[in-house]
Amino acid sequence: MGMLKVFASLAFLSGGILIIGMLITDYMLLAKFWDDALLIICGGVLLLALDKLILILEEIRNYLKKFSDIMEDK
């Protein structure tokens, strides 16, 4: 789970650096590669969403495990 956050932050950084670099150097590059930078950033957002989904599923699993242990004790 921690690795997904690391990869998401790397995607945000690389997409942001790509956009900033294109703004500083040449506007024609921005017109050509802005969609690639946005796709990289959207990939980072998807990785963060996947990380959150995994955390939620783990919480559900832990709750069901505790619930089944309580039901077995009765």
Side-chain angles (χ1 to χ4, degrees):
M1 286 163 310
M3 289 303 294
L4 287 176
K5 287 183 182 177
V6 169
F7 288 134
S9 63
L10 288 175
F12 290 139
L13 281 175
S14 63
I17 289 172
L18 186 61
I19 288 175
I20 290 170
M22 286 185 289
L23 285 173
I24 291 173
T25 58
D26 190 12
Y27 290 111
M28 292 304 291
L29 284 177
L30 181 64
K32 189 174 183 181
F33 295 114
W34 69 271
D35 55 342
D36 294 335
L38 289 180
L39 282 175
I40 292 170
I41 292 172
C42 288
V45 170
L46 288 176
L47 286 174
L48 283 177
L50 182 63
D51 183 57
K52 186 67 174 177
L53 180 67
I54 289 171
L55 286 175
I56 291 171
L57 290 175
E58 282 184 356
E59 290 293 324
I60 291 171
R61 183 189 64 174
N62 291 338
Y63 175 75
L64 291 174
K65 188 175 179 182
K66 288 178 186 178
F67 183 73
S68 67
D69 290 342
I70 290 171
M71 293 304 287
E72 287 176 3
D73 290 340
K74 289 184 178 181

